[in-house]
Amino acid sequence: MTQSYLDSLGADDYCAALYRLTAEQGRKVTPEDLSSELDADPAEAARCLKIFQEHDLMALHEGFLTLTSSGRANAEFTLAKHARIAEFLAGVLKLSPLEACRNAARIRNVIQRDALAELYDYVEEHDLEHKLPEEELIFLFPSLTSCLEKRYGYLFDPLYLTIDNYGSATMARVAEYCAMKLPTVREEVRLMAERGFLEKVTSDDAELVLTPLGKETLNEIVSRHVQISEFLKFTLEVEEEEAQENAWQWKFLLSEEAMKAIRAFLAENGIAAEL
């Protein structure tokens, strides 16, 4: 089982939450306590905790959870990562401590390795480390709470890539070009039509047509992508590919307040970020 799989289960958040409850608050923590702290589904949490124990991140003794040395190291790294990202967002974008922490929680588990290394360097070089008061550095869960995913269909990115490459898109073409399973594409198209983003289609080879709301939404998503990419290239001096990789995920996670701050930052620095 790979580290990426453990990451996908939220290992960082589980370890960090257990660390805060035990090491920082001195509590004895049951699996149910940890599940509640993370607002996780109890059955799913139980499955994840079993896997984390098998991989020596935590142990269960007499009904209480403790971190192993590996789990503690994971937790300390996650807490430090959250702090540095929040300091970066607060220092560069002038976000309030709470808003910086909210957005740090959303992106801390998806930020790419090179970008994170550059962010650490930026925070140190610009004397931003430990600038947020301890009482305002809030560690929030769950980290992958998205502000846009619930509003927007999962299919917008694949749809955009397919249209950009072929000039138009069908369900069959999206599935083939983006290496997706056709039943998955069908379900996403159905949901997007229900939400008013797409006109209804009757076959896999019928052209997918965006409604006015769908076009507006797609433009917003693409705009966010371009703005985040340019922001990262300017501040962290990451390569184009690294900026793009982060923007693919951040655009669905950053709050509107954070995006407004990014747009203001780009404007102040004369950076064009148009479609």
Side-chain angles (χ1 to χ4, degrees):
M1 196 172 293
T2 64
Q3 181 61 46
S4 61
Y5 178 70
L6 294 175
D7 292 343
S8 72
L9 296 178
D12 289 351
D13 283 351
Y14 277 90
C15 289
L18 184 55
Y19 179 91
R20 288 173 61 82
L21 293 172
T22 55
E24 294 183 359
Q25 298 180 23
R27 290 172 52 184
K28 289 187 174 182
V29 179
T30 66
E32 293 74 21
D33 293 333
L34 190 56
S35 171
S36 177
E37 176 73 8
L38 290 163
D39 194 24
D41 175 75
E44 177 64 16
R47 184 179 75 88
C48 291
L49 290 174
K50 183 175 185 295
I51 293 172
F52 300 153
Q53 291 172 62
E54 291 171 351
H55 286 77
D56 196 36
L57 292 175
M58 52 186 68
L60 182 65
H61 181 64
E62 296 183 349
F64 297 106
L65 290 165
T66 57
L67 287 169
T68 64
S69 58
S70 296
R72 186 182 181 91
N74 182 300
E76 291 174 342
F77 173 75
T78 301
L79 291 167
K81 177 169 61 172
H82 176 85
R84 300 296 86 77
I85 295 172
E87 289 160 353
F88 172 76
L89 295 174
V92 178
L93 297 178
K94 311 305 179 188
L95 297 178
S96 69
L98 178 57
E99 190 66 21
C101 289
R102 283 174 174 161
N103 283 278
R106 289 169 175 158
I107 65 175
R108 66 173 180 251
N109 287 352
V110 300
I111 185 171
Q112 300 292 306
R113 183 176 301 176
D114 289 348
L116 181 62
E118 294 295 343
L119 185 147
Y120 269 61
D121 289 343
Y122 186 101
V123 168
E124 181 179 355
E125 291 169 6
H126 291 79
D127 196 28
L128 298 176
E129 191 169 357
H130 305 304
K131 289 298 184 182
L132 287 180
E134 188 69 27
E135 64 274 12
E136 294 183 338
L137 191 56
I138 304 169
F139 196 84
L140 299 167
F141 301 104
S143 67
L144 292 182
T145 298
S146 167
C147 58
L148 289 185
E149 279 180 349
K150 294 177 182 177
R151 291 171 48 206
Y152 297 165
Y154 164 74
L155 200 64
F156 271 108
D157 274 343
L159 185 60
Y160 173 78
L161 292 171
T162 305
I163 293 174
D164 188 55
N165 187 70
Y166 290 104
S168 64
T170 65
M171 289 190 286
R173 184 172 283 172
V174 169
E176 179 182 4
Y177 184 65
C178 297
M180 298 175 66
K181 294 180 179 180
L182 186 55
T184 300
V185 176
R186 290 189 188 121
E187 176 62 13
E188 292 300 326
V189 166
R190 183 186 68 79
L191 291 173
M192 288 181 70
E194 284 185 357
R195 296 167 185 166
F197 298 130
L198 280 174
E199 301 290 351
K200 290 185 177 180
V201 294
T202 57
S203 72
D204 294 345
D205 295 317
E207 183 176 355
L208 298 175
V209 179
L210 288 164
T211 64
L213 176 62
K215 292 177 182 178
E216 179 185 343
T217 302
L218 180 60
N219 285 337
E220 180 182 352
I221 291 172
V222 176
S223 294
R224 279 173 164 253
H225 185 105
V226 173
Q227 291 156 3
I228 293 168
S229 178
E230 292 301 319
F231 171 71
L232 293 176
K233 286 190 290 184
F234 184 82
T235 54
L236 303 185
E237 299 181 352
V238 295
E239 298 294 332
E240 176 73 26
E241 183 178 355
E242 181 74 9
Q244 293 288 340
E245 285 291 329
N246 284 278
W248 278 117
Q249 299 192 67
W250 291 26
K251 65 175 179 275
F252 291 109
L253 300 169
L254 292 179
S255 69
E256 183 53 37
E257 185 171 341
M259 289 307 306
K260 287 180 180 177
I262 286 176
R263 289 191 286 270
F265 178 91
L266 295 174
E268 289 170 6
N269 288 277
I271 303 166
E274 302 298 327
L275 297 180

